[in-house]
Amino acid sequence: MGKATGFLEFERTDRGYIKPEDRLKNYKEYVTPLPEAELSKQAARCMNCGIPFCHNGCPVNNIIPDWNNLVYENDWRSALEVLHSTNNFPEFTGRICPAPCEAACTLNIVDQPVTIKSIDCASVDRGRNEGWITPKVPETKTGKSVAVVGSGPAGLACAQQLARAGHTVTVFEKNDRIGGLMRYGIPDFKMEKHLINRRLVQMEAEGVEFRVNQHVGENVKADDLLADTKNFRFGVCEFISSSHVHRSF
């Protein structure tokens, strides 16, 4: 897998940052991606450990050595497929995850760990630019309805997986926009909100319904959800901006 001597030949290199004087001009992300050739070298540093401790360090059990090897071989599309097999939203984790996988990396014992987080983020960003990320609509429906309370990362991942399994999924969110902590707790310079919005568009195409301003236990009764999630007819809010209509995710 990868380059057997990669970790001996290449030093760790990670993403850089926009100069502070330039950051002051806006609230956008200030991390600068690594070039593709450099990412390939960084992926080559993955050692194909007999027991990859990065698996244990990753909260979502990403299959890290596999997609590192695919990036090294320049098979980015397959790398993204492997990444998506365990992680619904790698563009989120590639930006805001504290990367315990890197702390657990075997190479970190005697050297600098593999730049796992940067490769994670680069894979999904390239997939988006290449048009590889599209809705996965189930061929058949189960006829079962599921209510997901809360639209944070766990709620969204749960909703997406259930919808792809063929269930009719409705997400209830007490705030006026979808995203939970990612929307209201993460500043734009760490993760811009258009990243959330485009995933929500994908999930809507997959059949997920979002209902905002729906506080379960307050203006929505839990017993009613258990009886029938279709009793509530509140759609996703919309507002007008310039000449375009936008969903207020």
Side-chain angles (χ1 to χ4, degrees):
M1 177 182 290
K3 191 169 186 178
T5 58
F7 68 98
L8 298 174
E9 296 180 33
F10 307 120
E11 297 291 333
R12 173 186 167 96
T13 302
D14 209 345
R15 293 172 288 186
Y17 302 98
I18 296 173
K19 294 180 180 180
E21 55 267 29
D22 294 328
R23 298 182 211 169
L24 295 174
K25 299 176 182 178
N26 55 61
Y27 294 101
K28 295 182 179 180
E29 295 176 12
Y30 58 81
V31 176
T32 56
L34 288 172
E36 185 175 311
E38 184 58 41
L39 286 165
S40 179
K41 289 181 181 179
Q42 294 306 306
R45 297 184 74 240
C46 188
M47 301 189 297
N48 187 20
C49 304
I51 300 177
F53 295 116
C54 55
H55 284 190
N56 184 58
C58 177
V60 296
N61 297 316
N62 279 333
I63 312 172
I64 296 165
D66 294 58
W67 45 259
N68 275 338
N69 177 58
L70 290 165
V71 167
Y72 169 67
E73 294 179 346
N74 200 35
D75 190 354
W76 287 84
R77 187 162 191 168
S78 295
L80 181 60
E81 291 177 1
V82 174
L83 181 55
H84 269 144
S85 70
T86 56
N87 187 346
N88 289 71
F89 312 117
E91 64 267 53
F92 302 163
T93 57
R95 287 171 167 81
I96 61 178
C97 178
C101 55
E102 294 190 11
C105 177
T106 305
L107 191 55
N108 195 40
I109 298 174
V110 295
D111 201 336
Q112 294 297 308
V114 177
T115 55
I116 299 169
K117 181 177 176 179
S118 294
I119 298 171
D120 174 350
C121 192
S123 298
V124 67
D125 286 350
R126 174 162 181 176
R128 181 66 67 175
N129 293 335
E130 296 284 353
W132 298 335
I133 301 175
T134 57
K136 295 184 178 181
V137 181
E139 294 183 1
T140 59
K141 301 290 285 186
T142 65
K144 297 180 180 180
S145 298
V146 182
V148 176
V149 179
S151 67
L156 292 179
C158 175
Q160 187 171 61
Q161 291 300 109
L162 290 169
R164 289 176 175 179
H167 304 311
T168 299
V169 183
T170 305
V171 177
F172 292 82
E173 170 56 51
K174 68 178 181 179
N175 293 310
D176 64 348
R177 298 191 182 189
I178 297 294
L181 182 63
M182 294 185 298
R183 176 76 65 183
Y184 292 102
I186 305 297
D188 279 5
F189 69 84
K190 293 289 289 183
M191 186 180 75
E192 296 179 28
K193 301 307 177 285
H194 69 86
L195 298 168
I196 305 173
N197 296 344
R198 67 188 186 187
R199 280 293 185 178
L200 299 179
V201 171
Q202 178 193 21
M203 291 176 65
E204 277 198 321
E206 294 172 348
V208 178
E209 179 185 355
F210 297 104
R211 301 182 185 178
V212 296
N213 297 314
Q214 303 295 290
H215 192 171
V216 176
E218 296 293 333
N219 62 335
V220 177
K221 302 301 181 184
D223 289 341
D224 292 334
L225 290 184
L226 293 173
D228 183 2
T229 59
K230 296 180 181 179
N231 284 338
F232 303 95
R233 300 298 179 185
F234 299 96
V236 178
C237 297
E238 294 186 342
F239 65 96
I240 304 296
S241 175
S242 300
S243 59
H244 299 87
V245 177
H246 301 272
R247 288 181 175 83
S248 59
F249 290 125

